Amino acid sequence: MSLFGHCIVVLAYALLAAALGLSFGPSLAAPGFGGSMATAGLVFLAFALGHEFLLRRSSLHETVRLMRELRQANAQTAADLGATRRDLTALRRQLEGVQREGAEKMAGEMQMLKGLLQQLNDRMLRRRVSGPSTSAAVPLPIRREAPGELPADAAQQLDMVRMALEDNRVDLYLQPIVSLPQRKVRFYESFSRIRNVEGGVLAPEQYLALAEDNGLITTIDNLLLFRCVQLIRRTKGRRRDVGFFVNMSVRSLQDEEFFGQFYEFLQQNADLADNLFFEFSQGDIEKHGAAVAAAMERLADLGFRFSLDQVSSLDVDYNGLARASFRFVKIDARALTSREHQSVASIDVADLKLVLGRNGIDLIAEKIETEPMVVDLLEFDVDYGQGYLFGEPRRSREAA
């Protein structure tokens, strides 16, 4: 009760006491005004003591209630602290487990890389003992980012590629793939770039055929995958919805020695299946045998999905692609918009997207270089676009 309330109560007691004193005082005590005042005083004192008793009793009940609530709050706080302590202990153990698992994965990856390079040395040694390469490949042009001499012949160029692999001079380059028409980056296609000791850079089309003819393509594919997995791991926390396409040669799937390590590595990283897609050319897929199909099925069982690129003909069994776990088809933008190309295809380009959609396959138009090409492609409801208009391949600094 507030001070004003107490004053009102005291004033009421005083008035009540005065009234009782004047009414009954002369008959209960001495006659006259003095008796009335004495009686009023006694009545006021009685009321005041009663009021004080009631206030103390109310205050005591309130104190008891507050103490009870305080004990309950202390008990709840103790329970919360106990639960928090248990959560912190569990979190610490989880973090220790993640760190231990990360260290084991890193050790496994380094062992894989060491094994790849050792196998590369062994293969090159066997090739040298059996005789020089009979490849008729001619020297390839090199794009220079620093002064450097071009190898004099294919054998020297092959040796340059081998040394670049041994010295880990293989860089990861990325090109964005955007959604249309929003142009939001949704994927990146990964490319390998090989540097010579002087800093000259070979693009994939400049050395892949030579590497494939001389048994080096599996090493390049595995190194590219290794670097891409490292990048996905580093960026997954902040770029969870971005995927990466990794180009693969079917020779990597046919090579039992390399595929064993390749598959074991992917088993350890199966949690990245939503962010990692393997890309194969239409020519490789159409001529591959049962061994490659079995290898791709094993990868699909781990949750990985595929993309078809270098499409030269739209006459494709899209239902068969879907059953083989293909989720993307890449087609040259000019092939989609060229009337000449459309006239020789058994499927009309306008219906292509409907057929792909029924089979759960997204269409990616590649090699887009101008804005008018984008306008033409939107007519076909293309899902994604890739090309220099949206960004050229650039070296991934995070993967360096």
Side-chain angles (χ1 to χ4, degrees):
M1 184 181 294
S2 65
L3 178 62
F4 180 75
H6 282 294
C7 292
I8 294 298
V9 170
V10 171
L11 180 60
Y13 287 164
L15 292 175
L16 182 61
L20 292 175
L22 292 174
S23 300
F24 301 104
S27 59
L28 296 177
F33 183 74
S36 299
M37 291 300 297
T39 302
L42 290 175
V43 172
F44 179 76
L45 179 62
F47 279 129
L49 290 176
H51 179 69
E52 179 69 17
F53 174 76
L54 292 176
L55 288 178
R56 288 182 179 275
R57 182 179 179 184
S58 176
S59 178
L60 180 62
H61 287 170
E62 182 67 18
T63 301
V64 171
R65 185 184 65 80
L66 291 175
M67 290 181 64
R68 186 182 299 113
E69 291 180 355
L70 182 61
R71 282 198 301 270
Q72 293 174 352
N74 288 337
Q76 183 63 41
T77 301
D80 292 342
L81 287 175
T84 302
R85 193 177 295 111
R86 289 192 296 272
D87 291 342
L88 288 175
T89 301
L91 181 60
R92 184 171 61 252
R93 291 175 179 173
Q94 184 178 359
L95 289 175
E96 291 173 353
V98 170
Q99 292 175 348
R100 185 166 53 252
E101 181 182 355
E104 292 173 354
K105 280 189 175 182
M106 184 61 67
E109 291 171 3
M110 296 308 296
Q111 186 64 31
M112 171 193 167
L113 184 59
K114 181 179 179 181
L116 286 174
L117 297 179
Q118 182 61 47
Q119 290 176 24
L120 173 63
N121 283 329
D122 293 343
R123 289 191 174 194
M124 293 305 297
L125 180 61
R126 291 197 299 268
R127 191 176 295 275
R128 286 177 176 175
V129 170
S130 62
S133 172
T134 59
S135 173
V138 297
L140 299 174
I142 187 169
R143 179 169 61 85
R144 305 206 177 273
E145 293 187 356
E149 294 295 327
L150 182 69
D153 54 36
Q156 285 182 314
Q157 190 167 8
L158 179 63
D159 196 52
M160 182 193 69
V161 173
R162 179 188 60 80
M163 288 189 297
L165 292 173
E166 290 179 346
D167 297 340
N168 202 21
R169 285 185 277 107
V170 181
D171 298 324
L172 173 65
Y173 277 62
L174 302 173
Q175 184 176 29
I177 301 173
V178 303
S179 61
L180 293 178
Q182 299 86 0
R183 305 194 184 193
K184 178 182 178 181
V185 176
R186 295 298 305 275
F187 308 97
Y188 288 96
E189 181 171 357
S190 59
F191 301 94
S192 60
R193 293 288 191 273
I194 288 181
R195 286 175 286 114
N196 62 14
V197 292
E198 292 85 9
V201 179
L202 286 176
E205 61 271 14
Q206 296 175 294
Y207 65 82
L208 283 182
L210 184 64
E212 194 158 359
D213 290 340
N214 290 273
L216 300 180
I217 192 63
T218 51
T219 303
I220 295 174
D221 281 349
N222 277 278
L223 286 174
L224 182 61
L225 172 65
F226 177 81
R227 289 187 176 277
C228 200
V229 166
Q230 284 184 316
L231 175 63
I232 295 174
R233 244 194 234 134
R234 292 173 184 171
T235 61
K236 192 174 182 181
R238 64 180 185 273
R239 308 190 73 174
R240 198 175 297 272
D241 60 339
V242 175
F244 294 82
F245 289 85
V246 177
N247 287 275
M248 294 290 299
S249 168
V250 293
R251 294 196 182 187
S252 295
L253 304 184
Q254 293 170 327
D255 191 323
E256 295 181 2
E257 184 179 8
F258 275 85
F259 183 73
Q261 287 184 319
F262 175 80
Y263 182 78
E264 182 180 354
F265 179 67
L266 289 179
Q267 272 186 314
Q268 297 171 356
N269 294 277
D271 59 309
L272 304 181
D274 291 338
N275 302 90
L276 186 61
F277 306 95
F278 295 107
E279 196 159 87
F280 300 92
S281 69
Q282 184 182 34
D284 279 349
I285 292 301
E286 289 180 347
K287 66 184 180 183
H288 79 272
V292 171
M296 294 180 66
E297 186 175 354
R298 292 180 65 187
L299 297 180
D301 289 341
L302 293 178
F304 292 96
R305 298 296 179 259
F306 312 121
S307 172
L308 186 73
D309 76 338
Q310 299 181 33
V311 175
S312 58
S313 171
L314 299 184
D315 298 332
V316 179
D317 179 8
Y318 297 104
N319 185 260
L321 285 180
R323 291 197 305 271
S325 297
F326 279 84
R327 295 295 177 266
F328 301 93
V329 168
K330 281 188 177 181
I331 301 177
D332 191 318
R334 288 166 294 187
L336 290 172
T337 57
S338 170
R339 299 300 178 186
E340 178 182 353
H341 192 283
Q342 295 178 33
S343 64
V344 299
S346 62
I347 180 173
D348 189 277
V349 176
D351 298 328
L352 175 63
K353 185 60 177 64
L354 296 176
V355 175
L356 292 174
R358 284 198 297 268
N359 289 282
I361 299 175
D362 288 331
L363 175 59
I364 302 175
E366 59 180 351
K367 299 180 181 178
I368 301 175
E369 299 177 355
T370 65
E371 290 292 345
M373 294 178 71
V374 177
V375 175
D376 292 339
L377 289 170
L378 292 179
E379 178 183 347
F380 303 111
D381 195 24
V382 174
D383 298 293
Y384 304 102
Q386 178 181 0
Y388 275 54
L389 179 64
F390 309 118
E392 64 181 82
R394 296 184 180 275
R395 185 183 178 187
S396 170
R397 301 299 175 183
E398 293 192 71

